[in-house]
C-alpha cells in the first residue's frame, strides 16, 4: 500500500468514527452496530448501521477499501483507457433516513480511486459530495445546507462551489421523472486537476463539512409534530430515492459490478417506502409545493430581491 493510500485510509476511518459518534449522540435512542466484512476478490470494509432510534429510522455509515485486477464497467465506461488496470477504491458513504418527515434524508460520500498498470504512471482521482432530500422543506434549511457547502469549497477557488453545485443538480436527477432527487448540494468526481495534496485536502474539507451542514437542520426539525398523511407522503417520496439509487447511482453500480458486499451497498435504501399508480399531490398543498418550489435547480445563496 502506498503512503498516499495509507493517508487516505486513516482519514476515512476517522471520518466514519466522527460521523457515527455525532449522529448517535443526536439520536439518543439507538446505537450503530458494526459489521466488518471481507471481499473475496480483495479488500473489505466496516458497515455501521443504526435503526429504530428516536431520530433515525434507518441509517448507515460505511467504510470500504476494495481492490482488484481490473476496473468494473461502471468505472471505466467514461475512461476506456483505464480498462484492464488494477485498482484500489477507498471511501466512506452514508445515508440517513429519519422517522420524522420534517427531517430531510441526507446522503454523503467521499472516495479515492487509484488505477495502476506495470510500467505506466498510476492514475488517481477523488470524488464525493453531499446532498439533501427534504419532504417538507424549509427555505432556511436549504440556505444553510448550501452555505456550509459554499464555505467548504471557498478556500479552493471561487468557481468550485458553483461548478460542483451545478454538477450535483445534474447528477441527482431522475430523468424518467423529469425532476431532481432533492435540493442538491455538491458532487464531484474524477478530481485530479490539482496535485495530490490539494485534492486530498479538498476531499477532507467536504467530508468534514457534512455534520456542520446536517445537524443544525436535524436539531431544528426533529421535534416537529407530523401526521399519518405526512408520513405517507414521505414514503411516496422515498420511492423516488429508491428509483435513483437502483437505476442511476454510480456508487451502487460500481459496488454491484465489482463484487462488493450487497448488504452494504443496498444499506442506502429506506425501510418503509410506497408507490401508488399515477399518484399526485393535491394542487396547492404543502406536498405540491415540494416539487413546484423546492425541487428546482435553484441558487439558494442568491441575494433576496429588493422590495
Amino acid at each position: 500500500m502506498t503512503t498516499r493510500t495509507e493517508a487516505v485510509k486513516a482519514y476515512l476511518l476517522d471520518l466514519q468514527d466522527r460521523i457515527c459518534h455525532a449522529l448517535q449522540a443526536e439520536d439518543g435512542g439507538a446505537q450503530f452496530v458494526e459489521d466488518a466484512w471481507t471481499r473475496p476478490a480483495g479488500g473489505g470494509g466496516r458497515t455501521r448501521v443504526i435503526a429504530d432510534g428516536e431520530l433515525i429510522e434507518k441509517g448507515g455509515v460505511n467504510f470500504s477499501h476494495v481492490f482488484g485486477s481490473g476496473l468494473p464497467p461502471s468505472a471505466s465506461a467514461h475512461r476506456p483507457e483505464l480498462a484492464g488496470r488494477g485498482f484500489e477504491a477507498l471511501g466512506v458513504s452514508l445515508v440517513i433516513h429519519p422517522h420524522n418527515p420534517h427531517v430531510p434524508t441526507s446522503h454523503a460520500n467521499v472516495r479515492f480511486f487509484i488505477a495502476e498498470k506495470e510500467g505506466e504512471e498510476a492514475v488517481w482521482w477523488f470524488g464525493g459530495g453531499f446532498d439533501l432530500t427534504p419532504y417538507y422543506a424549509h427555505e432556511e434549511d436549504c440556505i444553510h445546507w448550501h452555505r456550509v457547502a459554499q464555505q467548504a469549497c471557498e478556500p479552493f477557488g471561487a468557481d468550485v462551489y458553483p461548478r460542483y453545485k451545478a454538477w450535483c443538480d445534474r447528477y441527482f436527477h431522475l430523468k424518467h421523472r423529469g425532476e431532481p432527487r432533492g435540493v442538491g448540494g455538491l458532487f464531484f468526481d474524477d478530481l485530479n486537476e490539482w496535485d495530490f495534496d490539494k485534492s486530498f485536502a479538498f476531499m477532507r474539507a467536504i467530508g468534514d463539512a457534512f455534520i456542520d451542514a446536517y445537524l443544525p437542520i436535524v436539531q431544528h426539525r426533529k421535534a416537529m409534530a407530523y401526521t399519518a398523511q405526512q408520513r405517507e407522503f414521505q414514503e411516496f417520496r422515498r420511492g423516488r430515492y429508491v428509483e435513483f439509487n437502483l437505476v442511476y447511482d454510480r456508487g451502487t453500480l460500481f459496488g454491484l459490478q465489482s463484487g462488493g458486499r450487497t448488504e452494504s451497498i443496498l444499506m442506502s435504501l429506506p425501510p418503509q417506502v410506497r408507490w401508488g399508480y399515477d399518484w399526485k399531490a393535491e394542487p396547492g398543498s404543502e406536498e405540491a409545493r415540494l416539487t413546484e418550489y423546492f425541487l428546482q435547480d435553484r441558487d439558494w445563496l442568491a441575494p433576496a430581491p429588493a422590495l
Side-chain angles (χ1 to χ4, degrees):
M1 187 189 295
T2 66
T3 304
R4 285 177 171 178
T5 306
E6 287 174 348
V8 173
K9 184 171 185 177
Y11 167 75
L12 292 172
L13 289 168
D14 178 65
L15 179 67
Q16 184 190 34
D17 286 343
R18 288 187 283 121
I19 290 175
C20 287
H21 176 76
L23 290 171
Q24 186 171 287
E26 194 63 41
D27 184 279
Q31 295 188 331
F32 279 94
V33 176
E34 181 171 302
D35 185 11
W37 53 275
T38 302
R39 176 175 173 266
R46 59 186 198 190
T47 295
R48 290 183 180 167
V49 175
I50 188 169
D52 300 319
E54 296 296 320
L55 164 69
I56 301 170
E57 185 173 5
K58 181 188 176 190
V61 184
N62 288 351
F63 165 80
S64 63
H65 177 199
V66 301
F67 45 86
S69 57
L71 282 161
S74 63
S76 58
H78 63 300
R79 296 182 68 164
E81 73 278 10
L82 299 181
R85 282 178 173 251
F87 76 95
E88 286 188 75
L90 300 87
V92 163
S93 180
L94 69 91
V95 178
I96 303 299
H97 293 290
H99 284 284
N100 191 324
H102 293 289
V103 182
T105 286
S106 67
H107 161 259
N109 74 86
V110 284
R111 57 190 179 272
F112 175 64
F113 283 81
I114 184 165
E116 298 178 285
K117 190 173 184 178
E118 191 174 350
E120 296 186 23
E121 188 176 350
V123 177
W124 55 263
W125 63 91
F126 289 91
F130 50 69
D131 62 284
L132 195 69
T133 306
Y135 307 102
Y136 291 90
H138 300 269
E139 213 161 353
E140 60 267 34
D141 294 349
C142 300
I143 292 169
H144 165 78
W145 180 261
H146 280 273
R147 184 174 291 126
V148 173
Q150 190 272 335
Q151 288 168 349
C153 294
E154 197 169 25
F156 300 88
D159 66 318
V160 174
Y161 165 75
R163 191 151 44 102
Y164 292 160
K165 188 266 186 195
W167 196 347
C168 187
D169 289 340
R170 290 194 305 273
Y171 180 74
F172 290 105
H173 192 87
L174 285 83
K175 299 178 184 68
H176 62 286
R177 297 282 188 184
E179 66 183 41
R181 186 172 82 174
V183 298
L186 299 170
F187 181 86
F188 66 99
D189 205 0
D190 303 316
L191 176 65
N192 60 8
E193 64 190 74
W194 303 316
D195 64 22
F196 176 85
D197 288 342
K198 185 175 180 180
S199 301
F200 183 24
F202 180 72
M203 186 196 82
R204 295 197 306 270
I206 302 310
D208 293 346
F210 170 75
I211 287 296
D212 293 337
Y214 190 48
L215 279 195
I217 297 172
V218 171
Q219 290 160 353
H220 280 118
R221 307 299 167 197
K222 69 179 184 178
M224 292 179 69
Y226 60 91
T227 66
Q229 180 186 347
Q230 289 172 326
R231 174 72 175 171
E232 184 176 284
F233 178 67
Q234 178 193 46
E235 292 174 355
F236 276 120
R237 293 303 310 179
R238 281 176 171 179
R240 303 290 205 264
Y241 205 91
V242 172
E243 290 174 22
F244 181 87
N245 276 28
L246 295 184
V247 177
Y248 300 113
D249 187 72
R250 213 185 274 183
T252 301
L253 296 176
F254 175 84
L256 295 174
Q257 292 176 1
S258 63
R261 185 168 182 268
T262 302
E263 283 300 309
S264 297
I265 296 161
L266 299 183
M267 166 285 300
S268 64
L269 302 182
Q272 299 292 329
V273 63
R274 68 174 67 206
W275 284 268
Y277 179 73
D278 200 27
W279 185 90
K280 291 182 174 66
E282 192 72 28
S285 65
E286 271 191 288
E287 291 79 13
R289 181 167 161 76
L290 177 71
T291 49
E292 291 169 1
Y293 180 77
F294 287 96
L295 299 190
Q296 304 292 330
D297 293 343
R298 187 179 302 281
D299 179 2
W300 291 104
L301 301 184
L307 296 176

